[in-house]
């Protein structure tokens, strides 16, 4: 009986590990310490060539107890300089959106699929995404927000493992590892297409309802 239970726990842990959840999750250390250990690992990461090109890695910012997590694509120039996600022009717009939702930026958690800036802000490559994904899995599993908002095509398609265009994905609920997932347009897209801000606001209203309901 005991052996069976141990066997099924071991099987579960193996399954979690294979899907990218590392030993940090199963340590008995407090959540903030475990998250910091992952952050330290990221700051020395050389798992892909972007590690050699970065000024600073960009792990994530915000509350470890966040109910809402935003996941973007990859750091840009400003983020690479400061080591903080979404601090450039798109970041200022994201901050405005969060505040319009009646939430303080420091009460949500913000991170990206990639933790290092791709040269000239080019799109993330599949190898870079797979090298980096464990870090994000750890962040999501440690924070376990009530809602994840995928900012743009890369974050949404990667986490949902789906190739549907963001224009079709956005605005409806999906699920990521048991967490409600709302894809929406990336704030950098909104800077180029301000008319679509109203669609993002619709998506944010759905998120607010889910958080308050
Ligand atoms: N765009 C992103 O996707 N992430 C950032 O951190 C900044 C801009």
């Amino acid at each position: 009986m005991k052996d069976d239970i141990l066997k099924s726990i071991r099987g579960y842990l193996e399954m979690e590990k294979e899907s990218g959840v590392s030993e940090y999750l199963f340590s008995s250390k407090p959540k903030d310490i475990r998250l910091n250990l992952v952050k330290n690992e990221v700051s020395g990461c050389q798992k892909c060539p972007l590690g050699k090109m970065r000024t600073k890695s960009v792990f994530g910012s915000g509350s470890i107890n966040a109910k809402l997590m935003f996941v973007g694509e990859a750091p840009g120039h400003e983020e690479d300089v400061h080591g903080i996600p979404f601090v450039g022009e798109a970041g200022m717009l994201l901050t405005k959106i969060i505040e319009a939702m009646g939430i303080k930026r420091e009460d949500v958690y913000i991170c990206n699929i990639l933790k290092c800036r791709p040269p000239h802000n080019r799109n993330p490559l599949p190898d870079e995404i797979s090298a980096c994904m464990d870090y994000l899995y750890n962040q999501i599993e440690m924070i376990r927000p009530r809602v994840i908002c995928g900012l743009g095509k890369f974050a949404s398609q990667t986490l949902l493992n789906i190739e549907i265009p963001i224009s079709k994905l956005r605005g409806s609920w999906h699920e990521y590892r048991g967490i409600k997932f709302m894809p929406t347009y990336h704030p950098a897209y909104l800077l180029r297409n301000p008319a679509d801000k109203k669609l993002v606001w619709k998506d944010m209203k759905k998120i607010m309802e889910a958080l308050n309901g």
Side-chain angles (χ1 to χ4, degrees):
M1 174 71 173
K2 204 169 132 203
D3 279 356
D4 283 352
I5 295 173
L6 284 175
K7 208 167 146 196
S8 79
I9 294 175
R10 211 172 290 128
Y12 170 74
L13 294 181
E14 282 301 318
M15 198 182 73
E16 287 286 276
K17 210 166 173 194
E18 270 162 32
S19 63
V21 176
S22 84
E23 66 268 27
Y24 293 120
L25 287 174
F26 303 111
S27 145
S28 58
K29 293 187 173 70
K31 198 160 82 156
D32 53 341
I33 295 182
R34 282 181 284 150
L35 202 62
N36 254 321
L37 288 172
V38 187
K39 184 177 181 180
N40 286 343
E41 191 179 324
V42 167
S43 67
C45 180
Q46 294 294 335
K47 286 205 266 178
C48 84
L50 299 182
K52 297 241 173 331
M53 304 178 199
R54 68 177 173 241
T55 311
K56 287 187 176 171
S57 56
V58 180
F59 185 62
S61 72
S63 168
I64 195 162
N65 299 314
K67 302 265 177 290
L68 173 59
M69 177 187 265
F70 289 93
V71 181
E73 180 177 320
H77 171 73
E78 289 299 312
E79 292 78 20
D80 174 70
V81 169
H82 297 284
I84 303 169
F86 283 97
V87 287
E89 215 185 332
M92 284 193 268
L93 178 54
L94 177 62
T95 305
K96 270 196 196 163
I97 294 170
I98 295 168
E99 287 170 354
M101 296 167 82
I103 311 175
K104 294 193 191 112
R105 181 178 155 125
E106 59 267 31
D107 291 338
V108 303
Y109 192 85
I110 306 175
C111 57
N112 285 303
I113 297 281
L114 293 192
K115 309 305 188 216
C116 296
R117 182 191 182 203
H120 314 294
N121 299 344
R122 65 150 167 73
N123 290 340
L125 302 175
D127 280 357
E128 294 161 355
I129 296 178
S130 38
C132 218
M133 276 311 276
D134 275 11
Y135 300 132
L136 180 59
Y137 289 138
N138 275 281
Q139 288 171 301
I140 294 174
E141 288 299 328
M142 281 185 217
I143 293 168
R144 289 295 302 178
R146 296 243 305 272
V147 173
I148 299 175
C149 177
L151 297 170
K153 162 188 152 154
F154 267 94
S156 305
Q157 291 185 343
T158 303
L159 286 172
L160 296 176
N161 196 16
I162 214 169
E163 287 208 355
I164 298 172
I166 187 66
S167 56
K168 297 243 156 50
L169 274 181
R170 64 142 286 279
S172 48
W173 285 111
H174 297 257
E175 204 183 279
Y176 174 78
R177 294 176 76 98
I179 301 172
K180 284 171 89 79
F181 188 100
M182 175 60 74
T184 196
Y185 285 129
H186 193 287
Y189 165 88
L190 292 182
L191 292 172
R192 300 187 302 270
N193 301 275
D196 281 346
K197 282 183 187 170
K198 59 180 180 307
L199 296 178
V200 170
W201 185 240
K202 269 188 170 177
D203 304 345
M204 296 306 112
K205 283 207 278 200
K206 290 188 182 166
I207 291 179
M208 283 146 67
E209 268 168 38
L211 290 174
N212 299 327

